[in-house]
């Protein structure tokens, strides 16, 4: 059973409580995919210069956000970990000469549990969370994902959780997407559909409105895309499964890589 690698926009933490077109899509996606043996998720909210991954029997739920309704802080997602999957990932990192360190007691940040709770509400699939390093080059991030590509053939779902357009200083209450956000998303889509790594890796110089879409203080939300793409380097086929917007420019999209 070979699973795709996915890039999933996790939007606002409020997605944990919302019932909208996007949350219904994620629930449907979780039902339609073959049930994974395990999930490895690279989260934008775990940005570390060293490669980290969880090694817990059970995960706590991190409420790593502020100023939200009290109900948000009562939500838990009690997924189990997987020592087997952690070890398999470590073996591949070691083979790729990437120093990595398992950590315990961290829990799942909202970049991981918010989307997983929508897709797999029973929390019955083991999860290993992985850090990203936003200071690495896109090609390095892609190469790290590629180290895990063969795990997809063994029933492991690899997810990059972030946001292609994620500039919270430019959001506003609107149901209509801002033109600049759409133009950036469509440029990214064109490069993904042709697997144009040369252009993608230089998105900050090539893409329209790159500064607005990926501000210098927020690159960590885009880079999970490269980890997820790398995990499908052996197939190099991209398909956009969903696209919508919240707050004018907050891009909610899901890409599947085979």
């Amino acid at each position: 059973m070979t699973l795709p690698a996915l890039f999933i926009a996790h939007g606002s933490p409020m997605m944990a409580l919302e019932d909208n077109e996007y949350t219904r899509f994620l629930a449907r996606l979780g039902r339609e995919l073959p049930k994974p043996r395990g999930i490895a998720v690279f989260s934008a909210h775990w940005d570390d210069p060293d490669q980290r991954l969880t090694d817990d029997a059970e995960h706590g739920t991190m409420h790593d956000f502020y100023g939200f309704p009290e109900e948000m802080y009562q939500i838990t997602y009690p997924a189990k970990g997987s020592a087997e999957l952690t070890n398999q990932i470590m073996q591949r990192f070691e083979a790729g000469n990437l120093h990595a360190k398992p950590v315990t007691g961290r829990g799942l940040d909202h970049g991981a549990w918010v989307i997983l709770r929508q897709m797999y509400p029973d929390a019955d699939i083991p999860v290993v969370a992985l850090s990203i390093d936003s200071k690495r080059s896109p090609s390095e991030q892609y190469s790290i994902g590629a180290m895990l590509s063969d795990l997809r053939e063994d029933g492991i779902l690899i997810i990059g959780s972030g946001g292609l357009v994620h500039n919270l200083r430019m959001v506003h209450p609107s149901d209509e997407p801002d033109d600049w956000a759409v133009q950036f998303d469509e440029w990214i889509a064109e490069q993904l559909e042709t697997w144009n790594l040369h252009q993608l890796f230089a998105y900050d110089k090539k893409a329209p409105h790159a500064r607005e879409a990926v501000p210098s203080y927020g690159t960590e939300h885009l880079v999970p895309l490269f980890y997820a793409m790398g995990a499908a380097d052996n197939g190099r086929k991209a398909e956009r499964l969903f696209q919508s917007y919240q707050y004018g420019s907050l891009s909610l999209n899901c890409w599947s890589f085979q």
Side-chain angles (χ1 to χ4, degrees):
M1 175 179 67
T2 300
L3 288 168
L6 300 173
F7 174 80
I8 301 176
H10 60 247
S12 160
M14 284 298 293
M15 196 170 76
L17 297 177
E18 292 171 343
D19 176 18
N20 55 37
E21 187 181 4
Y22 188 48
T23 61
R24 291 190 291 272
F25 158 76
L26 290 175
R28 186 169 64 252
L29 180 63
R31 294 191 300 267
E32 291 176 351
L33 286 172
K35 187 171 182 178
R37 181 174 68 81
I39 299 170
V41 55
F42 290 93
S43 172
H45 289 278
W46 192 1
D47 195 355
D48 196 294
D50 297 312
Q51 183 62 59
R52 311 293 191 194
L53 65 163
T54 56
D55 189 19
D56 290 301
E58 297 185 3
H59 292 293
T61 304
M62 297 173 65
H63 300 97
D64 50 336
F65 40 77
Y66 304 94
F68 286 84
E70 182 60 29
E71 185 179 359
M72 288 288 298
Y73 302 93
Q74 307 307 316
I75 297 174
T76 61
Y77 188 75
K80 296 187 180 302
S82 169
E84 178 187 5
L85 180 54
T86 295
N87 288 334
Q88 288 178 319
I89 293 171
M90 282 294 297
Q91 290 169 6
R92 285 154 178 80
F93 285 162
E94 289 168 4
N97 294 315
L98 176 69
H99 175 71
K101 182 180 179 180
V103 298
T104 58
R106 180 180 185 272
L108 297 179
D109 61 61
H110 78 271
W113 69 258
V114 166
I115 59 172
L116 294 180
R117 185 169 177 266
Q118 294 291 351
M119 295 176 68
Y120 303 108
D122 295 333
D124 58 349
I125 300 171
V127 177
V128 173
L130 298 104
S131 66
I132 56 99
D133 181 1
S134 63
K135 299 296 191 295
R136 288 183 183 268
S137 68
S139 62
E140 289 177 304
Q141 295 154 355
Y142 183 98
S143 294
I144 292 172
M147 295 176 192
L148 308 184
S149 60
D150 70 309
L151 288 175
R152 298 190 300 112
E153 300 168 10
D154 193 29
I156 302 302
L157 180 63
I158 299 174
I159 298 174
S161 173
L164 298 187
V165 181
H166 194 279
N167 186 342
L168 299 184
R169 295 181 186 176
M170 296 190 73
V171 298
H172 55 85
S174 173
D175 293 331
E176 291 297 320
D178 293 333
D179 287 343
W180 63 266
V182 174
Q183 289 176 35
F184 180 83
D185 264 329
E186 291 308 311
W187 185 91
I188 292 288
E190 182 180 347
Q191 314 317 315
L192 290 177
E193 288 165 353
T194 57
W195 213 269
N196 192 334
L197 297 181
H198 178 73
Q199 290 286 97
L200 280 168
F201 290 170
Y203 76 89
D204 55 334
K205 302 176 184 66
K206 303 285 189 178
H209 307 290
R211 275 188 197 172
E212 294 89 350
V214 189
S216 59
Y217 57 84
T219 57
E220 76 284 342
H221 273 78
L222 177 73
V223 300
L225 173 71
F226 299 127
Y227 289 88
M229 285 187 76
D233 181 64
N234 49 356
R236 297 194 168 198
K237 295 179 181 176
E239 180 184 5
R240 182 160 52 180
L241 304 182
F242 188 91
Q243 179 72 65
S244 68
Y245 295 86
Q246 285 183 320
Y247 313 119
S249 63
L250 189 61
S251 180
L252 300 179
N253 45 34
C254 177
W255 281 89
S256 173
F257 305 121
Q258 300 270 13

